Amino acid sequence: MEGDGSDPEPPDAGEDSKSENGENAPIYCICRKPDINCFMIGCDNCNEWFHGDCIRITEKMAKAIREWYCRECREKDPKLEIRYRHKKSRERDGNERDGSEPRDEGGGRKRPVPDPDLQRRAGSGTGVGAMLARGSASPHKSSPQPLVATPSQQQQQQQQIKRSARMCGECEACRRTEDCGHCDFCRDMKKFGGPNKIRQKCRLRQCQLRARLSPVTPSESLPRPRRPLPTQQQPQPSQKLGRIREDEGAVASSAVKEPPEATATPEPLSDEDLPLDPDLYQDFCAGAFDDHGLPWMSDTEESPFLDPALRKRAVKVKHVKRREKKSEKKKEERYKRHRQKQKHKDKWKHPERNDAKDPASLPQCLGPGCVRPAQPSSKYCSDDCGMKLAANRIYEILPQRIQQWQQSPCIAEEHGKKLLERIRREQQSARTRLQEMERRFHELEAIILRAKQQAVREDEESNEGDSDDTDLQIFCVSCGHPINPRVALRHMERCYAKYESQTSFGSMYPTRIEGATRLFCDVYNPQSKTYCKRLQVLCPEHSRDPKVPADEVCGCPLVRDVFELTGDFCRLPKRQCNRHYCWEKLRRAEVDLERVRVWYKLDELFEQERNVRTAMTNRAGLLALMLHQTIQHDPLTTDLRSSADR
Amino acid sequence: MATKESGDAQAQLAPSSSASQSKEVPENPNYALKCTLVGHTEAVSSVKFSPNGEWLASSSADRLIIIWGAYDGKYEKTLYGHNLEISDVAWSSDSSRLVSASDDKTLKLWDARSGKCLKTLEGHSNYVFCCNFNPPSNLIISGSFDETVKIWEVKTGNCLKTLSAHSDPVSAVHFNCSGSLIVSGSYDGLCRIWDAASGQCLKTLVDDGNPPVSFVKFSPNGKYILTATLDNTLKLWDYTRGRCLKTYTGHKNEKYCIFANFSVTGGKWIVSGSEDNLVYIWNLQTKEIVQKLQGHTDVVISAACHPTENLIASAALENDKTIKLWMSNH
């Protein structure tokens, strides 16, 4: 007793008994459980079914088995042996099984499959077909003699068309034996003198069921946008099949749809379709946009290619995704809002159609008075024709549009003008502020200069001794160490500079402001490829404090009550002065910061002005006037605002 | 010349009741065609007035959004960027931003001033059909053919929530005036109301026969819901009680998702497009058709009402491709 036998019943008793359990499902196998929808194998002697998992036989192994007997039967009757198939006979037997119901006589049976088609598909996907699919695709290859003689030997004489992942073996294309020699794929083959770059089967031999591409009828040598509906068609979507497959499966049911502008199309025409690959579709979508540039430039009204079939066909490609769901009819009516997609498709059909035609059937150039054929992917025969047509259009249409525009005052224009006024005023004030800043800057420099020229007078030293609490300890904010308050400022400045110099702060662009001296540091950092954007006077990274000579005086303007200048200067040597440490740097930074702020403001205002100006030009620019039109029906009421707002 | 008469005070649809309490019966509106805006090369899918009343945005199957001046109908700007047809466009409350929903499965956030696309919101797995801002305009809501409703954050462009709202394409989504509720309508015939903060479904409105719901919207005061169904009917519901209060018929709506609107600037009307090329205006209380605006040559897919003036903008499909501006004295 092997496997997952959980039942105490002896295994023999389980041969044919289908004892009912609570769910009324027939039970099988040594485990006495019902069919759990897994792979099962049947004993050819006792006709009991066993789960593959329970007896440890996989589906793959079972394919190699011709006759299988369960362990119990083998134990009871030593004559029964499991018979395996020969490798070659496996393929032949596999072919025989097409369309046949599971038989009771010899041969290892597998799980009965209700749908012979599914079985066929399953069979080809794995072991049997996989062996054949690679490499050779010739159906002529006859299977060699099997080692075990079977009645199926006679079938050897017939030609067995191989089944594979890409060949069903039954359709017209699969039955063909010779390449046509004319289609694009044949012409690419070495035997027809091609470069062997595409490497695909002849178009006419592409399986109608399983190929990724669609076959073309023999009458057309080039892939044209139309092709007939293949007759044997299984409407079961499978991932292996290309996009067209799904589309076609639903084509028949899409007959209910009625695009608003298509004329009544006959049934066969509506089922035609483009040999589209998903990539091709994407390309065209992208290409269409580039090709036309501005979509409204197309001469849709003038082109003769739009025919209802194209339009109708166009819709289906789009609707592929929705096909799998419930009732199609219900959906089709609802999706009418997207019928406008047709037009979109038409646009990108044009370049494709043109490419496919030979020069004799190219449309006529649209240039005025020109009778030459247009270029393959254009509407004109040459640039000149296009320019002439454009010029004519402008002459015809523009004057009247300009007149229409000027008939009524443009409200947005008025708003724009007001806005410009305001911006200009603000720019003015910003500039005056800037000048003010510059003046302060110069003043400061003068003060600093004068301070430096003072002589040192050591007699102010006594100020140092005034009651500082020297036993208090302040902790530095940057490094956290305790420091004497007297030197605290000095220490903290140095400490801060030390930490700050380790980080970079910059932008990719060097400063280019006219008339501004010394604002940003602008030192180039090659690692981050940026220019340092700290204030130059403050930047700890790129400017070191110059060594202070011993006789240099502090020079800081002294103040009384914080705000009033006494006119006097601190005369202490700079090295010793602890109150006014780094005063020049800080004052300079103050002024510079204000200047930077004003420049930013100016920049912002400039940006706003630019926006308003571009809006004003584009509103009534050439392109805008040519492409859009506002027809005023009531010349008396040009402004639709009620009087209260005016 | 144009004067504003206050409407009657029976149904307080506007959040603030009008100052003058005149009890006159309003006369029927006399909307007349003032401007025709030509410029789209394919069917126009949606028109919306900006909340400040200055602009009119129109989206179209030619993948463009065009902004026109609302008061003079003059062309202002075009926004490019989408790869496929655009189904809907909506303004933010400060009229500085637009969001557009397109068949290329994305939504795009635009800056109306500069015309630049600020963000592209990706995440839907099928055509995005409808979109809206919430009143604070920090969220965008979108409904799609993939049967979900997604809530996006404007600042980052991330999808905050996905509501598996329906079992059929979602045809319309709308926030109420406070931004706390969301209503979504779908082809499966259901109208669902959601809590915006948690994403919980609070209520489902089902009608007999469940015809596909092609449009839903809250009333300006947030108490009622206007639904349009593909059986030529518009209904006004009191959603707290789940009762249909008013039914408006007479127009034709069986195929397209046609926008409908409340007109509250003058008299209280319901405005909707129709598949018989007319714009229908009903009296909100009496349910009678008070005016039918003729002029389009194809299905009128969208009709928008100006926030402060008695203006209606209507747009039609590909046989017509124009937008028409109508003005009334009351």
Side-chain angles (χ1 to χ4, degrees):
Chain A
M1 190 158 23
E2 297 170 35
D4 308 338
S6 55
D7 199 290
E9 269 183 287
D12 285 356
E15 273 189 31
D16 283 314
S17 63
K18 294 199 171 26
S19 50
E20 313 241 324
N21 51 12
E23 297 112 57
N24 291 344
I27 50 180
Y28 306 103
C29 188
I30 51 177
C31 62
R32 309 321 297 155
K33 293 233 165 65
D35 181 357
I36 51 175
N37 221 17
C38 68
F39 168 70
M40 295 181 83
I41 190 166
C43 173
D44 289 318
N45 187 45
C46 61
N47 290 329
E48 176 65 72
W49 287 89
F50 297 86
H51 301 115
D53 302 324
C54 297
I55 52 170
R56 293 209 210 100
I57 289 186
T58 64
E59 194 167 349
K60 202 169 176 189
M61 290 160 59
K63 284 207 197 314
I65 298 175
R66 215 151 47 81
E67 297 173 5
W68 186 79
Y69 304 98
C70 66
R71 195 180 172 79
E72 293 71 39
C73 293
R74 273 181 281 139
E75 275 167 12
K76 272 195 273 179
D77 182 357
K79 277 202 274 56
L80 301 174
E81 277 176 15
I82 299 179
R83 292 240 167 83
Y84 293 91
R85 300 194 198 190
H86 188 262
K87 183 183 174 185
K88 288 292 193 305
S89 64
R90 246 179 273 162
E91 110 199 7
R92 197 169 32 78
D93 282 347
N95 283 341
E96 279 172 35
R97 240 160 266 297
D98 290 356
S100 63
E101 296 301 326
R103 296 171 292 200
D104 286 317
E105 71 278 89
R109 278 175 288 163
K110 305 202 182 63
R111 178 193 169 74
V113 178
D115 184 1
D117 296 331
L118 272 178
Q119 185 195 32
R120 186 195 315 152
R121 212 175 289 137
S124 69
T126 53
V128 178
M131 289 187 297
L132 313 169
R134 289 174 217 115
S136 65
S138 163
H140 283 292
K141 201 177 202 177
S142 54
S143 15
Q145 296 280 346
L147 287 183
V148 182
T150 63
S152 56
Q153 229 171 331
Q154 303 120 333
Q155 291 178 348
Q156 253 180 274
Q157 313 308 326
Q158 296 171 14
Q159 288 177 357
Q160 292 292 320
I161 300 171
K162 288 193 202 129
R163 295 180 295 128
S164 77
R166 293 266 165 248
M167 286 180 67
C168 68
E170 308 226 318
C171 64
E172 187 58 45
C174 288
R175 285 192 201 281
R176 283 183 75 96
T177 56
E178 289 161 5
D179 301 323
C180 73
H182 291 104
C183 66
D184 53 350
F185 291 158
C186 283
R187 282 186 286 130
D188 169 74
M189 294 183 194
K190 278 253 185 276
K191 68 180 180 185
F192 293 113
N196 198 28
K197 284 191 181 164
I198 308 176
R199 289 180 246 185
Q200 298 289 326
K201 288 194 293 191
C202 166
R203 282 259 181 201
L204 303 180
R205 296 178 70 196
Q206 296 277 353
C207 174
Q208 286 159 357
L209 218 56
R210 296 188 183 178
R212 282 201 205 276
L213 311 162
S214 6
V216 173
T217 54
S219 58
E220 292 165 326
S221 52
L222 290 175
R224 295 292 308 282
R226 294 159 194 244
R227 74 181 160 74
L229 180 70
T231 46
Q232 60 254 62
Q233 164 96 325
Q234 308 234 347
Q236 292 170 21
S238 117
Q239 298 98 311
K240 287 186 192 168
L241 307 178
R243 195 178 179 177
I244 288 307
R245 241 0 93 206
E246 297 171 47
D247 196 30
E248 281 191 340
V251 156
S253 57
S254 72
V256 189
K257 285 192 292 193
E258 283 169 316
E261 64 217 341
T263 57
T265 50
E267 212 25 54
L269 207 61
S270 71
D271 291 335
E272 290 164 6
D273 214 323
L274 275 172
L276 279 182
D277 283 332
D279 308 316
L280 216 55
Y281 174 74
Q282 290 297 328
D283 280 342
F284 275 124
C285 275
F289 197 70
D290 293 334
D291 185 41
H292 293 262
L294 306 164
W296 52 74
M297 288 302 225
S298 65
D299 305 289
T300 346
E301 54 276 22
E302 291 156 1
S303 56
F305 325 122
L306 299 180
D307 74 329
L310 279 179
R311 275 186 230 173
K312 187 157 182 175
R313 168 175 10 110
V315 188
K316 293 189 207 88
V317 183
K318 201 53 185 293
H319 291 178
V320 155
K321 294 179 209 88
R322 311 182 212 147
R323 281 297 156 243
E324 296 83 74
K325 307 243 177 144
K326 305 118 191 182
S327 56
E328 283 132 357
K329 179 165 184 187
K330 181 177 153 194
K331 298 215 172 277
E332 275 142 22
E333 288 174 352
R334 308 289 146 64
Y335 301 174
K336 291 306 167 38
R337 190 164 171 180
H338 292 269
R339 202 61 41 163
Q340 43 218 19
K341 283 188 277 287
Q342 285 173 38
K343 269 289 174 70
H344 165 71
K345 294 301 169 313
D346 288 329
K347 289 220 179 76
W348 59 256
K349 288 263 187 324
H350 300 163
E352 216 224 318
R353 280 281 294 260
N354 278 331
D355 282 334
K357 293 188 174 165
D358 33 1
S361 59
L362 281 173
Q364 189 186 19
C365 164
L366 292 174
C370 176
V371 295
R372 292 189 291 273
Q375 297 282 348
S377 56
S378 153
K379 297 188 193 88
Y380 310 99
C381 63
S382 62
D383 278 349
D384 286 334
C385 267
M387 300 290 264
K388 263 192 259 166
L389 185 61
N392 282 2
R393 278 185 183 147
I394 292 180
Y395 286 133
E396 263 182 54
I397 301 178
L398 192 60
Q400 126 204 19
R401 295 277 169 95
I402 294 178
Q403 202 194 17
Q404 261 179 358
W405 183 270
Q406 288 169 342
Q407 250 175 16
S408 57
C410 179
I411 295 171
E413 192 88 9
E414 287 165 22
H415 284 323
K417 288 198 183 124
K418 283 193 206 134
L419 205 58
L420 273 182
E421 285 290 294
R422 192 169 60 83
I423 290 173
R424 207 157 302 137
R425 275 200 309 267
E426 285 190 16
Q427 278 177 339
Q428 281 288 80
S429 67
R431 277 181 211 278
T432 30
R433 272 209 316 277
L434 194 63
Q435 278 173 352
E436 172 73 25
M437 288 299 127
E438 296 288 325
R439 193 180 55 80
R440 275 180 57 186
F441 166 59
H442 287 114
E443 256 179 40
L444 181 61
E445 292 297 317
I447 290 176
I448 294 173
L449 201 58
R450 199 164 49 163
K452 283 211 193 324
Q453 287 162 357
Q454 300 279 339
V456 174
R457 279 205 279 157
E458 304 271 348
D459 51 356
E460 311 283 326
E461 264 180 77
S462 52
N463 284 345
E464 285 300 321
D466 51 327
S467 52
D468 274 341
D469 301 318
T470 47
D471 44 343
L472 274 181
Q473 294 267 307
I474 304 180
F475 292 97
C476 169
V477 289
S478 304
C479 63
H481 295 128
I483 35 178
N484 193 316
R486 237 182 318 150
V487 294
L489 204 57
R490 213 176 262 263
H491 168 89
M492 283 199 216
E493 287 278 346
R494 288 219 186 100
C495 208
Y496 166 79
K498 193 170 61 172
Y499 282 108
E500 192 62 22
S501 62
Q502 287 163 9
T503 25
S504 225
F505 176 70
S507 109
M508 286 195 315
Y509 309 103
T511 318
R512 275 195 211 97
I513 307 177
E514 301 130 22
T517 50
R518 184 204 77 191
L519 269 181
F520 292 114
C521 177
D522 270 338
V523 170
Y524 186 62
N525 179 353
Q527 274 164 353
S528 57
K529 301 213 184 79
T530 53
Y531 295 87
C532 177
K533 286 289 170 219
R534 290 200 185 88
L535 289 180
Q536 192 178 32
V537 297
L538 276 186
C539 182
E541 213 180 336
H542 301 123
S543 57
R544 296 247 111 249
D545 282 336
K547 203 109 174 70
V548 178
D551 59 350
E552 189 163 334
V553 82
C554 171
C556 175
L558 296 170
V559 286
R560 185 177 39 223
D561 298 333
V562 181
F563 291 115
E564 291 170 27
L565 283 169
T566 55
D568 211 359
F569 300 96
C570 171
R571 294 264 159 81
L572 282 171
K574 208 189 257 280
R575 280 195 197 169
Q576 286 172 20
C577 181
N578 275 335
R579 267 210 200 128
H580 311 124
Y581 182 68
C582 277
W583 70 272
E584 310 110 334
K585 191 163 85 163
L586 297 175
R587 293 269 179 102
R588 280 188 184 135
E590 229 179 284
V591 175
D592 276 0
L593 195 58
E594 280 298 318
R595 285 163 70 210
V596 166
R597 285 208 189 107
V598 177
W599 280 113
Y600 275 145
K601 181 77 186 173
L602 271 178
D603 208 23
E604 207 181 287
L605 289 172
F606 182 69
E607 182 72 31
Q608 278 181 12
E609 189 188 341
R610 200 160 52 110
N611 279 345
V612 176
R613 280 194 195 281
T614 29
M616 286 175 75
T617 32
N618 289 343
R619 196 174 292 145
L622 170 69
L623 214 54
L625 282 179
M626 290 293 288
L627 297 172
H628 308 94
Q629 195 186 14
T630 304
I631 305 170
Q632 303 273 1
H633 298 277
D634 182 1
L636 298 172
T637 331
T638 55
D639 187 345
L640 298 177
R641 288 178 292 191
S642 59
S643 49
D645 293 335
R646 279 189 219 181
Chain B
M1 174 181 166
T3 54
K4 282 192 199 167
E5 290 182 8
S6 58
D8 68 347
Q10 278 178 22
Q12 299 285 336
L13 288 184
S16 56
S17 54
S18 50
S20 59
Q21 295 291 328
S22 62
K23 297 283 184 186
E24 313 161 4
V25 175
E27 303 160 33
N28 286 349
N30 59 347
Y31 279 96
L33 177 62
K34 294 297 175 190
C35 301
T36 302
L37 315 185
V38 181
H40 281 295
T41 50
E42 292 198 34
V44 188
S45 56
S46 167
V47 281
K48 298 270 172 76
F49 280 104
S50 69
N52 65 2
E54 279 187 29
W55 311 109
L56 178 69
S58 64
S59 65
S60 159
D62 61 8
R63 297 168 277 165
L64 304 174
I65 301 165
I66 299 187
I67 300 181
W68 315 80
Y71 297 123
D72 48 10
K74 292 206 193 285
Y75 166 80
E76 175 68 22
K77 183 180 278 145
T78 307
L79 311 179
Y80 326 77
H82 274 296
N83 297 326
L84 288 177
E85 294 86 345
I86 305 175
S87 295
D88 196 8
V89 71
W91 288 92
S92 67
S93 316
D94 57 359
S95 308
S96 65
R97 304 246 181 99
L98 283 161
V99 63
S100 58
S102 164
D103 283 4
D104 61 6
K105 305 184 202 161
T106 65
L107 293 114
K108 278 189 190 278
L109 184 68
W110 309 85
D111 175 37
R113 285 256 142 242
S114 60
K116 290 202 180 29
C117 171
L118 301 173
K119 285 228 165 19
T120 303
L121 314 179
E122 289 169 357
H124 276 294
S125 52
N126 209 331
Y127 314 134
V128 194
F129 199 74
C130 45
C131 57
N132 249 310
F133 274 96
N134 68 339
S137 297
N138 58 340
L139 295 178
I140 290 171
I141 191 171
S142 63
S144 158
F145 267 39
D146 64 5
E147 301 164 8
T148 62
V149 171
K150 278 186 190 277
I151 305 181
W152 312 79
E153 193 183 0
V154 169
K155 197 159 135 202
T156 56
N158 295 333
C159 175
L160 297 178
K161 272 196 202 66
T162 303
L163 313 175
S164 329
H166 293 277
S167 53
D168 267 333
V170 180
S171 56
V173 283
H174 194 228
F175 274 99
N176 69 340
C177 55
S178 62
S180 55
L181 296 177
I182 294 166
V183 65
S184 67
S186 154
Y187 287 155
D188 60 5
L190 303 177
C191 233
R192 288 207 153 118
I193 298 173
W194 311 79
D195 175 41
S198 61
Q200 290 294 322
C201 176
L202 301 176
K203 200 168 188 100
T204 304
L205 299 176
V206 189
D207 202 7
D208 310 318
N210 60 8
V213 176
S214 60
F215 182 71
V216 281
K217 154 172 215 178
F218 276 104
S219 65
N221 66 352
K223 290 197 200 148
Y224 310 105
I225 287 181
L226 180 67
T227 64
T229 48
L230 293 183
D231 58 353
N232 311 313
T233 320
L234 277 159
K235 288 193 174 170
L236 192 68
W237 294 77
D238 175 359
Y239 63 86
T240 47
R241 297 198 187 88
R243 272 190 316 155
C244 169
L245 302 176
K246 308 262 183 207
T247 306
Y248 307 94
T249 52
H251 64 302
K252 184 158 176 291
N253 187 2
E254 276 165 357
K255 281 198 236 162
Y256 296 93
C257 293
I258 296 183
F259 288 86
N261 255 301
F262 293 89
S263 171
V264 298
T265 49
K268 304 283 184 276
W269 322 115
I270 300 275
V271 178
S272 168
S274 163
E275 287 160 14
D276 55 8
N277 309 353
L278 305 171
V279 178
Y280 280 74
I281 306 179
W282 292 265
N283 183 318
L284 190 135
Q285 294 298 334
T286 67
K287 302 173 284 191
E288 293 168 349
I289 298 175
V290 291
Q291 205 183 354
K292 292 195 265 195
L293 310 179
Q294 196 185 15
H296 282 290
T297 55
D298 201 354
V299 171
V300 180
I301 191 87
S302 176
C305 298
H306 193 272
T308 50
E309 302 285 337
N310 296 321
L311 287 175
I312 289 179
S314 62
L317 293 187
E318 53 254 11
N319 203 22
D320 182 317
K321 299 189 259 242
T322 62
I323 300 159
K324 289 192 191 283
L325 280 175
W326 315 77
M327 191 176 82
S328 161
N329 297 329
H330 41 263

